[in-house]
Amino acid sequence: MMQRMTNSSSSPSLLNDSAKQYAGHDPLTSPASSLFNDFAALSLSQRRKTPNPTASEFIPKGGSTSRLNNVSQSSMSAFSQALFSHPSMGSPATAGLAPGMSLSAGSSPLHSPKITPHTSPAPRRRSHTPNPANYMVPTSASTPVTNAVSQPPSTGQVIQKETVGGTTYFYTDTTPAPLTGMVFPNYHIYPPTAPHVAYMQPKANAPSFFMTDELRQELINRHLITMAQIDQADIPAVPTEVDSYHSLFPLEPLPPPNRIQKTSNFGYITSCYKAVNSKDDLPYCLRRIHGFRLVNTKCMVLVDMWKKIQHSNIVTLREVFTTKAFGEHSLVFAYDFHAGGETMMSRHFNDPSADAYFTKRKWGQHDGPLPRQHAGLLPESLIWAYIVQLSSALRTIHTAGLACRVMDPTKILVTGKTRLRVNCVGVFDVLTFDNSQNNPLALMAQFQQADLISLGKVVLALACNSLSGIQRENLQKAMELVTINYSSDLKNLILYLLTDQNRLRSVNDIMPMIGARFYTQLDAAQMRNDVIEEDLAKEVQNGRLFRLLAKLGTINERPEFQKDPTWSETGDRYLLKLFRDHLFHQVTEAGTPWIDLSHIISCLNKLDAGVPEKISLISRDEKSVLVVTYSDLKRCFENTFQELIAAANGQL
């Protein structure tokens, strides 16, 4: 039931988390409306950050455990040349694509507390908490009421009365009256699983009140990787601070100090770190280019263009800077950090047995046995899921007038089950920037055509489940393998991407080949979203209940406070002690412990709302029985905790 507490400024505090005060109204026409107020009071207002506009995650049915990124380098040149040569392309021109639109949901407004007037009746504020009656009965709340005494109340309006200091005030309650006979559960806020989720291939022995173990373990692994640190004494080569970043943690094996051979991807020795930005305390991924000195800042025009691209399948570039913190001139690219991500190379192409189809002597010969149908190959639905995501990323990049240039298995991150993100974008634009070019975007059309060829090679390698399939001597075998085991649409897509055309191609050209499979992936993403939302609904109340228990724990059994050893055993604290026993120390008639989670949750919710229901608290010697209401307990609870807070702040 516990919820992880962080030191973030947006995390809820123990000070301002209580539910709304219970308003003891005595309605004249609707005796059940107070129940709606109590029900609405269970919703707590918390400050939220506006979410980034990201697409839903593509689903999944199988998957492997996320692990640290272990990148194995491969030749980038293999992903930049066409395999099936045709006459040269026409005049270079970028395809004009309409940019997509994204919606961002704003934060919900904070709840306004219901304050009882002391001098004159103030108009009752409408609660921002949705009232269940609003969806069931018509209302005329929008009609202003000018004279609530002389005019009869309109439909959905109730005249409330409240006595303050001997004076009775009457005012109009515009909250619509509930339907007759409507009854809500007795403060038990955990409904069963939604039917559209319950019928999604339910797992045996799955917990019903908590999120799935698989999702919980994945989130815990991400948290561990995000908070991982190194011992600076063991790895002195990693500086303690680089520009405004600190707490560097290597995400790849560090190259040896005397290494001379450069990587085949970028032409420079590279290393990758997780670091925390001291400006916003957020983790980022730093890609360091060793021994590179930036002599011209004109390339920053392209960097600024990359910063504006935000897409669910692209690792966003945040900034580029030079530094000498590593002991030499280095160029550092700062990207968003996605914990638990691994490269497509490490997930799909690190199995030595995957190349068996291309090492068998008789494979490809007419008299030799063909490989068993789908033996060791990826399911076609997974390949199409990858195609949809990669083509979506290319479409956004090409629409912005840029080129990806890193469509390579070593630079494509896989997070979760099937979520892809193109990594290291913009690196080639800086490393290969030509100062003599007047227009830095002049060659983007050719680079975009190379992106399509690289995409075709990635798809062909996935279909063969081996990088050997994209080698020229194995092309005939690879295409025969695709023809035998996959649909004609996948074969035609690969042929279209790997063949030079007489005209400039666009990533939109492959949409007819994807066809209705796009809707399959969209449906899978929305089903995945339903499952995650259902798991979130199981945990949505945990933070509030945990903070109630944390407050209760700071009060009960306190050894000494304000030089009074019996502070926690007298007055309001004694009631809270007996309430704690009522929560956790119930026994059956036979004297055995009675453990019921629903009893604990229901009592805590009633305490948080301050309902007028009465409760019997029995002392441990069973000689005293105190009958109090939950509203009395809440008053004791809040006054006692505020006393502790005042003492902690030095106000007592």
Side-chain angles (χ1 to χ4, degrees):
M1 297 295 293
M2 294 184 61
Q3 185 184 41
R4 185 174 63 89
M5 299 180 66
T6 65
N7 56 358
S8 172
S9 60
S10 62
S11 61
S13 170
L14 286 176
L15 304 180
N16 301 314
D17 67 312
S18 300
K20 294 182 180 180
Q21 296 285 346
Y22 177 80
H25 298 306
D26 185 17
L28 298 180
T29 59
S30 176
S33 65
S34 62
L35 182 59
F36 286 98
N37 296 332
D38 303 337
F39 186 81
L42 294 177
S43 177
L44 295 178
S45 60
Q46 294 182 2
R47 182 172 52 183
R48 304 175 184 172
K49 293 183 178 179
T50 302
N52 291 329
T54 56
S56 299
E57 180 177 355
F58 284 91
I59 191 171
K61 293 228 180 27
S64 59
T65 306
S66 300
R67 52 189 181 270
L68 286 174
N69 190 0
N70 184 13
V71 176
S72 59
Q73 304 291 341
S74 67
S75 176
M76 176 58 72
S77 60
F79 284 84
S80 60
Q81 298 177 358
L83 296 182
F84 305 100
S85 300
H86 270 233
S88 60
M89 298 183 302
S91 57
T94 16
L97 302 177
M101 298 179 64
S102 62
L103 299 177
S104 175
S107 301
S108 60
L110 297 179
H111 295 286
S112 300
K114 299 177 181 179
I115 303 176
T116 302
H118 294 283
T119 56
S120 61
R124 180 167 177 251
R125 302 182 183 180
R126 290 189 61 84
S127 172
H128 293 285
T129 305
N131 194 323
N134 293 344
Y135 306 102
M136 305 177 192
V137 294
T139 177
S140 58
S142 58
T143 305
V145 179
T146 57
N147 190 350
V149 178
S150 60
Q151 297 180 0
S154 59
T155 304
Q157 295 182 349
V158 179
I159 297 179
Q160 301 283 1
K161 70 175 182 178
E162 186 168 353
T163 302
V164 179
T167 304
T168 301
Y169 298 97
F170 294 87
Y171 56 94
T172 302
D173 185 4
T174 58
T175 303
L179 292 177
T180 304
M182 184 183 300
V183 179
F184 286 101
N186 191 13
Y187 300 98
H188 193 283
I189 48 180
Y190 288 90
T193 304
H196 67 280
V197 177
Y199 285 95
M200 289 183 188
Q201 299 179 357
K203 298 180 180 179
N205 300 325
S208 58
F209 290 105
F210 304 97
M211 70 171 62
T212 58
D213 294 337
E214 181 183 5
L215 179 59
R216 184 184 301 276
Q217 188 62 41
E218 181 180 349
L219 295 177
I220 291 176
N221 290 338
R222 292 182 184 179
H223 296 163
L224 291 176
I225 296 172
T226 303
M227 296 184 293
Q229 297 182 2
I230 62 172
D231 189 351
Q232 202 66 34
D234 294 341
I235 311 179
V238 179
T240 58
E241 188 173 356
V242 177
D243 199 65
S244 60
Y245 297 88
H246 62 88
S247 302
L248 272 70
F249 181 83
L251 298 176
E252 300 174 354
L254 294 177
N258 55 354
R259 178 178 176 180
I260 302 178
Q261 182 181 3
K262 300 178 181 179
T263 61
S264 57
N265 289 90
F266 299 120
Y268 291 88
I269 301 174
T270 64
S271 56
C272 189
Y273 306 87
K274 179 209 53 127
V276 178
N277 193 336
S278 57
K279 297 179 181 179
D280 55 15
D281 290 333
L282 298 178
Y284 292 92
C285 177
L286 303 183
R287 172 70 62 176
R288 175 197 171 196
I289 310 298
H290 296 230
F292 184 86
R293 178 178 296 183
L294 190 63
V295 296
N296 197 323
T297 59
K298 292 182 179 180
C299 61
M300 290 301 166
V301 176
L302 299 176
V303 173
D304 292 336
M305 296 176 64
W306 278 112
K307 290 181 182 179
K308 298 177 182 178
I309 295 181
Q310 185 170 351
H311 190 269
S312 59
N313 302 118
I314 301 174
V315 182
T316 305
L317 175 65
R318 295 302 177 184
E319 65 173 327
V320 179
F321 60 91
T322 58
T323 181
K324 293 183 180 179
F326 296 93
E328 62 177 1
H329 289 279
S330 299
L331 183 66
V332 179
F333 294 80
Y335 296 92
D336 287 348
F337 177 65
H338 298 280
E342 57 180 335
T343 62
M344 181 182 288
M345 173 69 73
S346 62
R347 173 168 292 195
H348 294 295
F349 302 117
N350 265 0
D351 186 6
S353 61
D355 294 337
Y357 292 132
F358 302 96
T359 56
K360 291 181 179 179
R361 178 176 301 178
K362 293 184 178 181
W363 199 99
Q365 299 178 1
H366 295 289
D367 56 346
L370 292 174
R372 185 170 59 88
Q373 181 79 2
H374 296 293
L377 301 180
L378 299 178
E380 184 168 351
S381 60
L382 177 63
I383 299 178
W384 282 111
Y386 286 168
I387 292 174
V388 170
Q389 296 178 76
L390 294 177
S391 61
S392 177
L394 283 185
R395 180 181 181 274
T396 300
I397 293 173
H398 292 181
T399 301
L402 296 170
C404 176
R405 306 180 69 182
V406 285
M407 188 62 64
D408 183 273
T410 62
K411 297 297 177 286
I412 298 176
L413 291 183
V414 185
T415 55
K417 297 182 181 296
T418 60
R419 179 68 174 273
L420 295 187
R421 288 182 175 91
V422 180
N423 193 20
C424 296
V425 295
V427 174
F428 271 114
D429 292 331
V430 177
L431 298 184
T432 63
F433 185 77
D434 188 1
N435 297 326
S436 61
Q437 285 282 349
N438 295 329
N439 182 12
L441 303 177
L443 299 178
M444 285 300 170
Q446 285 80 354
F447 294 150
Q448 290 175 0
Q449 299 302 304
D451 285 345
L452 298 178
I453 297 175
S454 299
L455 175 62
K457 294 183 178 181
V458 170
V459 176
L460 179 60
L462 289 171
C464 300
N465 201 19
S466 171
L467 290 178
S468 300
I470 64 173
Q471 299 176 1
R472 289 187 176 273
E473 59 271 18
N474 295 325
L475 282 179
Q476 183 180 358
K477 301 177 182 179
M479 292 309 301
E480 185 177 353
L481 181 67
V482 173
T483 304
I484 295 174
N485 294 281
Y486 296 104
S487 64
S488 59
D489 285 340
L490 184 61
K491 181 190 70 172
N492 294 335
L493 182 142
I494 296 174
L495 290 174
Y496 177 80
L497 292 175
L498 295 182
T499 304
D500 278 342
Q501 306 290 333
N502 294 327
R503 61 179 182 85
L504 285 177
R505 296 169 297 170
S506 169
V507 69
N508 286 344
D509 297 340
I510 66 175
M511 287 301 297
M513 305 176 192
I514 298 176
R517 296 179 182 88
F518 178 84
Y519 296 103
T520 302
Q521 300 306 318
L522 180 61
D523 177 61
Q526 292 176 342
M527 292 175 63
R528 173 68 173 169
N529 184 63
D530 289 340
V531 173
I532 294 178
E533 283 188 356
E534 186 66 27
D535 284 334
L536 175 63
K538 298 174 184 177
E539 310 277 344
V540 71
Q541 301 291 342
N542 290 1
R544 178 176 61 85
L545 297 177
F546 168 73
R547 289 191 294 274
L548 284 174
L549 293 176
K551 287 183 178 181
L552 199 61
T554 58
I555 298 171
N556 291 328
E557 310 295 345
R558 181 170 287 277
E560 183 177 356
F561 179 70
Q562 298 294 327
K563 300 181 180 180
D564 183 7
T566 62
W567 179 81
S568 61
E569 304 292 333
T570 58
D572 295 344
R573 285 78 61 189
Y574 183 67
L575 291 177
L576 297 177
K577 174 185 176 181
L578 297 183
F579 177 71
R580 190 269 314 273
D581 292 342
H582 176 78
L583 272 180
F584 302 110
H585 300 162
Q586 297 274 1
V587 294
T588 63
E589 295 178 355
T592 58
W594 183 67
I595 301 175
D596 188 354
L597 183 62
S598 62
H599 163 73
I600 298 175
I601 294 174
S602 178
C603 291
L604 286 175
N605 287 332
K606 294 175 183 179
L607 173 67
D608 200 15
V611 301
E613 179 182 336
K614 294 182 180 180
I615 178 176
S616 298
L617 301 178
I618 304 176
S619 61
R620 294 184 177 181
D621 58 6
E622 297 184 354
K623 294 182 179 180
S624 302
V625 178
L626 302 177
V627 179
V628 296
T629 63
Y630 281 99
S631 59
D632 295 332
L633 286 174
K634 182 175 182 179
R635 176 185 53 79
C636 299
F637 181 71
E638 292 180 344
N639 293 341
T640 304
F641 186 74
Q642 289 302 324
E643 185 179 354
L644 294 177
I645 292 298
N649 295 335
Q651 299 175 3
L652 291 181

